[in-house]
Amino acid sequence: MFSRRYLRRSFVAALVLPVALLGLFVIYQNRTALFPENLSQEYHHHHHHHDHNENGVDVSHQIIRKYSKEPIFHIKRLTTNGYSTSKLYVNNAEQVKDSPKLQYVPRPNSFNNAQQLQIVNHVQPILPLQYQIPTLSVIDTKKLERFVHLDLKGAAPKVVYYETLFPYLKELGANGLLIEYEDMFPFTDNLSVLRHGFSYSKSDIEKILKLAEQNNLKVMPLLQVYGHLEYVLKLKEFMHLREDKRYPQVITPCLEESYKLLFEMIDQLLLQHPSIPYLHIGCDEVYYRLVHPQCTNLHFRDEADLFIR
């Protein structure tokens, strides 16, 4: 009994020990890739006095000076053949000003002589992806306009509330208002069925626009024309215009009646906002597309073809 157990343990140890030793050996051989933070120290220790180019210049000092300068954003990344450093520039002018002469540095354990350093002093052809240094332009947010989204469906405030809200938004730095009325808009004629019981009147809309003008706030109405049309498609008069008859969220683009409804809604909205520079048409979160039975008759090539047509 004892001999069997001893033999079994010896056999397991004989199998596991070589595997463990092999794993440690592989880790040791690839230590520079696994622990890149030690690269600069290791290179400086072993090659500081040995790497010179053909003109006798100490290349190691060039590398140390190059990478000791902190960029605006400093990105370290490993490639399949070495270790490189990337920068994220605020603008293109700074990118040109700080255009690097040294674009790529091989792994330290491959530094046998100065000829293995790739020093770029002139325009180079396009390099493989792993050698390229990406540069991203950052948007100047000072030139952007700041619109506040007023989502009025469900529980819209009274007009008097805007007398306090608009000056406060202006003080915070807002430039405009993105107003999504939905059923709070005073639709008329055959669209009056869309109105909420406490919807704004035409005079209310005029007061809101006047208050916005007094506070130097631009107004951009938002009228959804594809998704988020629950307040329309939930009504029995328009249920047949659903893209998927089970859900009231998306209107079908495959029926001519859908466009007549949307264009009439747009016309009434524009009539109440005669001087607006922009109209937001939504189109976000359209979860069901081209599933209406009539869509098969229009022979759409793909979903992109829907917007191109």
Side-chain angles (χ1 to χ4, degrees), residues 23-40:
L24 292 174
F25 178 78
V26 171
I27 293 174
Y28 176 79
Q29 290 294 321
N30 295 273
R31 64 191 184 281
T32 55
L34 295 174
F35 307 102
E37 64 274 7
N38 296 325
L39 286 178
S40 60

Side-chain angles (χ1 to χ4, degrees), residues 253-272:
C254 302
L255 292 176
E256 188 67 24
E257 189 177 350
S258 297
Y259 298 95
K260 293 180 180 180
L261 171 63
L262 294 172
F263 290 157
E264 187 172 359
M265 294 171 66
I266 293 174
D267 288 341
Q268 292 194 19
L269 186 70
L270 294 178
L271 189 62
Q272 281 294 117

Side-chain angles (χ1 to χ4, degrees), residues 193-240:
V193 66
L194 301 179
R195 294 180 58 171
H196 189 276
F198 295 97
S199 63
Y200 294 137
S201 64
K202 290 184 177 180
S203 61
D204 291 334
I205 301 296
E206 294 174 357
K207 291 178 182 177
I208 293 173
L209 297 179
K210 187 64 175 178
L211 288 170
E213 182 181 1
Q214 292 174 355
N215 290 276
N216 296 319
L217 295 173
K218 299 178 182 179
V219 173
M220 184 193 306
L222 192 162
L223 180 66
Q224 297 282 354
V225 299
Y226 203 173
H228 290 301
L229 286 171
E230 293 89 349
Y231 74 102
V232 177
L233 301 177
K234 69 180 181 181
L235 304 173
K236 62 181 180 180
E237 293 87 349
F238 305 108
M239 285 184 177
H240 62 288

Side-chain angles (χ1 to χ4, degrees), residues 11-26:
F11 179 75
V12 172
L15 291 177
V16 172
L17 187 58
V19 174
L21 292 175
L22 180 61
L24 292 174
F25 178 78
V26 171

Side-chain angles (χ1 to χ4, degrees), residues 9-229:
R9 292 179 179 176
S10 300
F11 179 75
V12 172
L15 291 177
V16 172
L17 187 58
V19 174
L21 292 175
L22 180 61
L24 292 174
F25 178 78
V26 171
I27 293 174
Y28 176 79
Q29 290 294 321
N30 295 273
R31 64 191 184 281
T32 55
L34 295 174
F35 307 102
E37 64 274 7
N38 296 325
L39 286 178
S40 60
Q41 296 179 2
E42 182 178 346
Y43 172 74
H44 180 76
H45 178 72
H46 291 290
H47 301 277
H48 180 67
H49 300 289
H50 302 286
D51 288 324
H52 295 76
N53 61 13
E54 59 186 4
N55 296 323
V57 179
D58 192 343
V59 182
S60 63
H61 282 85
Q62 296 181 15
I63 300 173
I64 295 172
R65 287 198 304 270
K66 176 64 186 173
Y67 287 95
S68 63
K69 179 181 178 182
E70 283 296 327
I72 295 175
F73 297 100
H74 198 212
I75 306 171
K76 292 184 178 180
R77 63 191 179 106
L78 282 174
T79 64
T80 55
N81 295 318
Y83 174 73
S84 64
T85 302
S86 304
K87 294 183 181 180
L88 182 64
Y89 294 90
V90 171
N91 52 54
N92 294 332
E94 187 163 354
Q95 174 185 346
V96 174
K97 178 181 177 182
D98 195 28
S99 179
K101 293 184 178 180
L102 180 60
Q103 290 187 336
Y104 175 72
V105 182
R107 290 178 181 173
N109 58 12
S110 65
F111 287 163
N112 295 324
N113 52 60
Q115 283 72 27
Q116 290 181 332
L117 294 176
Q118 185 177 0
I119 308 297
V120 180
N121 294 313
H122 57 277
V123 178
Q124 291 288 322
I126 298 177
L127 299 174
L129 182 61
Q130 64 267 28
Y131 303 123
Q132 295 182 21
I133 299 178
T135 56
L136 303 175
S137 299
V138 179
I139 298 175
D140 185 3
T141 57
K142 294 182 179 179
K143 298 181 180 180
L144 295 179
E145 293 187 316
R146 299 170 177 86
F147 277 69
V148 177
H149 182 199
L150 300 180
D151 193 348
L152 303 181
K153 59 177 176 287
K158 294 182 178 180
V159 177
V160 67
Y161 174 72
Y162 297 123
E163 297 177 3
T164 303
L165 177 63
F166 289 177
Y168 180 64
L169 295 178
K170 181 61 179 178
E171 184 180 351
L172 293 177
N175 303 113
L177 304 169
L178 179 65
I179 305 180
E180 186 174 4
Y181 294 102
E182 287 213 359
D183 55 0
M184 291 301 295
F185 186 80
F187 291 107
T188 60
D189 300 329
N190 60 322
L191 296 183
S192 59
V193 66
L194 301 179
R195 294 180 58 171
H196 189 276
F198 295 97
S199 63
Y200 294 137
S201 64
K202 290 184 177 180
S203 61
D204 291 334
I205 301 296
E206 294 174 357
K207 291 178 182 177
I208 293 173
L209 297 179
K210 187 64 175 178
L211 288 170
E213 182 181 1
Q214 292 174 355
N215 290 276
N216 296 319
L217 295 173
K218 299 178 182 179
V219 173
M220 184 193 306
L222 192 162
L223 180 66
Q224 297 282 354
V225 299
Y226 203 173
H228 290 301
L229 286 171

